[in-house]
């Protein structure tokens, strides 16, 4: 096919690919360092399962998942075919022989047909189905077109080549006999003249090779660079839910002699981001899966992980010279929050983690947002006005309601403060919601009834119980959080507490995943987990009492900590009929809207998240919406009120449903 021509084409294509790739990867290397290569075998296992085998892609939405997997595996498989075509450029009579060659020839034909079917479905989705998460995208259509051309021209090349040379070259005849599609197509053009076959073979060959090289050059220029970077991004992933906010060393802020250049908190500009943040931006496939249950995006707010990555990618390229120049130019880069990521985008996030859980290549958003919020709050002093009252309330009374701290733990006939908590099986962390909110107090009283019926020895700190501060931490006020955390750790450790149970998934998450860094190393249990165990051990008995119970999964219990079964196991015992599920449930559950300090902020854009979440469940015609979080209970209850449904549908915590269904046959105390 022309050694000189194929050599020139390949050299030009690979040189352009290397040049454009290096321009992006240099930006990745210029950002903040972080070790991301610990546990290499565990990382490689994820590359195989979620990268090569596409398990995460298929599991979450199987139709587009299978489509993408077929195209991906076809891409990988046909790399061998492209090597064969390169050799054919130097030796027109080269053919694959032997058992491996025969097997690959059969495989290649079926793969190409499979890829054509997958591409047809991709066109159908983009042009006819038009799912909301897929925005109009010319690059996507262009790439699908290029893939189609490559597949069609490859099958055509086989057909013309086999028809032209099989009778005179035994090796090509052997290859034809093992090519079910190519051999059949060759039979259709067998009557063409030799010159026509030679011309058609040359046209199909060069059309394919030029298209392949154009595709190669386009990869680093657009979103399909993920074909190159997706597997590395999977290898360097965080590898765990974003259930802990990045800790900040606050000592320079406390040191009056510290140099101004040392006073850095969070992230201001792109220069403060990690190298993995840039790799994620360039790797985003723009599949839009992050939008499917993002509470902000689903209610018309300007937030999606895809959108953030798009903005960040453009900004990186626009500021390329300053980033690579370093020094003063890098230090004076513009702030990210403003023109790149709007204030509304930053503060719309409920930190529910859906976007990260949905991303097929485990890209990361929450740590970036946490660090951006930290800088805005502690360095710029800029944050939503509603949060000022919240911060002040935490500072004075250690709770967001600002109610007197000495009223904590007043749960009617609830437990008294434990004088010697080490004698108790559990320290019950009541938390702010169950101490100061009437709805939360109802949950706490129900849980105390269960504990007493089961004979569980427990104690609370009462008025001495500090707040976990998880809310202010996710709002960016790391200094206030660390003050609260120090107090809480001293309180529990000073009393010898070893095991803690709580009804609040936010407190559960913070105590379990963040407090070990501050010396709080306890055994943490959510109340649904403890209730499930008490039922399994027959320490409490319940009767099926409730009908048409619809379960809402709390983000900080489910996605952030992987506990989906305990609430379902408990409710399965107290419900008379089959437990109802939201259309978006378990890993796909949509947030109630309270997380990330959003509980205390008004929604000025779009529709209300809690109302939207309630509307999602109405098709199930529930009598009860069951929750396992006091904040979810409040938000969904308010959503029902907004729909004027609070008289016909109620929200109840799992503990309340168990307490009302419990057979009381033990002396409590």
């Amino acid at each position: 096919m022309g050694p000189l021509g194929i050599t020139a084409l390949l050299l030009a294509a690979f040189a352009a690919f290397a040049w454009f790739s290096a321009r992006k990867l240099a930006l990745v290397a210029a950002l903040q360092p972080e070790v991301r290569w610990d546990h290499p075998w565990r990382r490689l296992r994820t590359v195989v399962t979620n990268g090569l085998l596409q398990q995460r892609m298929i599991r979450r939405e199987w139709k587009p998942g299978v489509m993408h997997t077929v195209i991906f595996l076809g891409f990988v498989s046909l790399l061998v075919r492209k090597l064969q075509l390169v050799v054919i450029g130097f030796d027109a009579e080269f053919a694959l022989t032997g058992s491996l060659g025969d097997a690959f020839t059969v495989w290649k034909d079926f793969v190409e047909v499979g890829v054509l079917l997958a591409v047809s479905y991709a066109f159908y989705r983009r042009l006819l189905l038009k799912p909301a998460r897929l925005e109009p995208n010319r690059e996507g259509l262009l790439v699908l077109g290029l893939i189609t051309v490559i597949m069609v021209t490859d099958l055509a090349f086989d057909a013309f080549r086999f028809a032209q040379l099989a009778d005179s070259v035994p090796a090509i005849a052997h290859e034809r006999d093992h090519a079910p599609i190519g051999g059949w197509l060759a039979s259709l053009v067998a009557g063409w003249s030799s010159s026509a076959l030679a011309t058609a073979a040359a046209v199909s060959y060069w059309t394919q090779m030029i298209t392949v090289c154009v595709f190669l050059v386009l990869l680093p220029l657009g979103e399909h660079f993920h074909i190159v970077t997706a597997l590395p991004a999977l290898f360097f992933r965080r590898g765990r839910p974003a259930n802990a906010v990045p800790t900040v060393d606050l000592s320079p802020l406390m040191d009056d002699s510290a140099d101004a250049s040392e006073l850095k908190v969070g992230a201001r500009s792109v220069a403060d981001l990690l190298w993995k943040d840039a790799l994620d931006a360039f790797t985003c496939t723009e599949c839009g899966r992050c939008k499917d249950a993002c509470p902000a995006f689903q209610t018309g707010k300007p937030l999606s992980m895809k959108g953030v990555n798009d903005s960040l990618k453009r900004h990186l390229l626009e500021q390329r010279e300053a980033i690579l120049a370093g020094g003063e130019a890098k230090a004076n880069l513009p702030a990210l929050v403003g023109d790149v990521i709007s204030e509304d985008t930053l503060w719309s996030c409920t930190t529910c983690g859906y976007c990260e859980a949905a991303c097929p290549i485990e890209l990361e958003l929450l740590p970036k947002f946490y660090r951006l919020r930290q800088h805005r709050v502690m360095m710029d002093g800029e944050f939503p006005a509603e949060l000022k009252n919240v911060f002040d309330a935490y500072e004075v009374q250690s709770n967001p309601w600002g109610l007197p701290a000495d009223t904590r733990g007043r749960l009617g006939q609830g437990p008294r403060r434990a004088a010697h908590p080490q004698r108790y099986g559990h320290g019950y962390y009541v938390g702010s919601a169950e101490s100061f909110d009437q709805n939360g107090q109802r949950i706490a009283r129900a849980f105390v009834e269960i504990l007493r019926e089961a004979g569980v020895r427990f104690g609370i700190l009462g008025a001495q119980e500090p707040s976990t501060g998880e809310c202010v931490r996710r709002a960016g006020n790391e200094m206030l959080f660390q003050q609260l955390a120090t107090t809480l750790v001293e309180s529990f450790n000073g009393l010898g507490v070893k095991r803690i149970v709580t009804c609040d998934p936010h407190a559960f998450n913070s105590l379990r995943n963040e407090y070990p860094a501050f010396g709080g190393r306890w055994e943490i249990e959510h109340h649904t987990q403890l209730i499930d165990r008490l039922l399994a051990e027959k320490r409490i008995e319940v009767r099926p009492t409730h009908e048409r119970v619809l379960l809402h999964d709390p983000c900080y219990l489910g996605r952030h900590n992987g506990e989906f079964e305990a609430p379902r196991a408990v409710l399965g015992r107290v419900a008379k009929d089959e437990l109802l599920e939201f259309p978006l449930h378990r890993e796909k559950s949509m947030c109630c809207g309270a997380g990330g300090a959003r509980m205390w902020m008004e929604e000025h854009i779009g529709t209300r998240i809690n109302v939207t979440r309630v509307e999602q469940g109405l098709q199930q015609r529930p009598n009860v919406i069951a929750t396992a979080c006091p904040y979810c209970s409040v938000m969904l209850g308010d959503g029902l009120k907004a729909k004027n449904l609070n008289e016909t549908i109620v929200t109840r915590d799992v503990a309340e449903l168990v307490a009302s269904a419990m057979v009381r046959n033990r002396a409590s105390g």
Side-chain angles (χ1 to χ4, degrees), residues 371-535:
R371 285 182 280 126
L372 288 169
R373 287 183 176 187
Q374 287 168 348
H375 187 88
R376 291 298 282 163
V377 170
M378 290 193 285
M379 301 301 293
D380 296 340
E382 296 288 340
F383 46 85
E386 301 99 323
L387 289 180
K388 184 180 187 306
N389 291 334
V390 175
F391 293 157
D392 291 344
Y394 270 105
E395 286 185 11
V396 177
Q397 299 292 353
S398 188
N399 72 81
W401 281 269
L403 296 173
D406 60 7
T407 62
R408 274 186 182 269
R410 293 184 182 176
L411 307 176
Q413 297 303 311
R416 301 297 181 187
R417 178 187 174 193
H420 302 286
Q422 64 271 23
R423 298 190 341 225
Y424 290 81
H426 289 82
Y428 172 26
Y429 180 78
V430 181
S432 296
E434 285 141 64
S435 293
F436 301 106
D437 176 72
Q438 290 184 352
N439 186 70
Q441 290 173 349
R442 196 178 66 233
I443 295 169
R445 285 193 293 268
F447 184 51
V448 167
E449 284 186 51
I450 295 167
L451 294 179
R452 288 180 164 172
E453 177 66 24
V456 175
R457 294 181 59 79
F458 67 98
I460 67 171
L461 296 183
Q464 305 304 311
E465 179 186 271
S467 169
T468 62
E470 75 85 31
C471 168
V472 297
R473 188 176 214 199
R474 279 154 183 77
N477 197 334
E478 180 72 7
M479 180 173 290
L480 178 53
F481 166 76
Q482 291 194 20
Q483 292 170 358
L484 294 168
T486 300
T487 302
L488 189 148
V489 169
E490 289 175 352
S491 298
F492 275 118
N493 285 350
L495 293 169
V497 173
K498 301 297 183 184
R499 302 169 68 190
I500 298 174
V501 64
T502 180
C503 303
D504 179 359
H506 297 263
F508 169 76
N509 174 76
S510 194
L511 294 170
R512 184 187 192 199
N513 299 307
E514 296 181 319
Y515 269 72
F518 300 92
R521 296 176 177 84
W522 312 291
E523 181 183 339
I524 310 297
E525 200 166 19
H526 187 254
H527 76 307
T528 59
Q529 296 172 324
L530 179 55
I531 294 171
D532 183 33
R533 185 155 52 83
L534 295 175
L535 286 166

Side-chain angles (χ1 to χ4, degrees), residues 581-609:
E581 298 276 11
F582 278 85
L584 295 172
H585 61 280
R586 290 185 178 266
E587 292 89 347
K588 292 184 177 181
S589 178
M590 194 180 101
C591 178
C592 71
R598 289 295 323 177
M599 175 82 175
W600 314 106
M601 291 182 267
E602 290 296 328
E603 295 185 54
H604 302 290
I605 301 173
T607 56
R608 288 172 55 189
I609 293 172

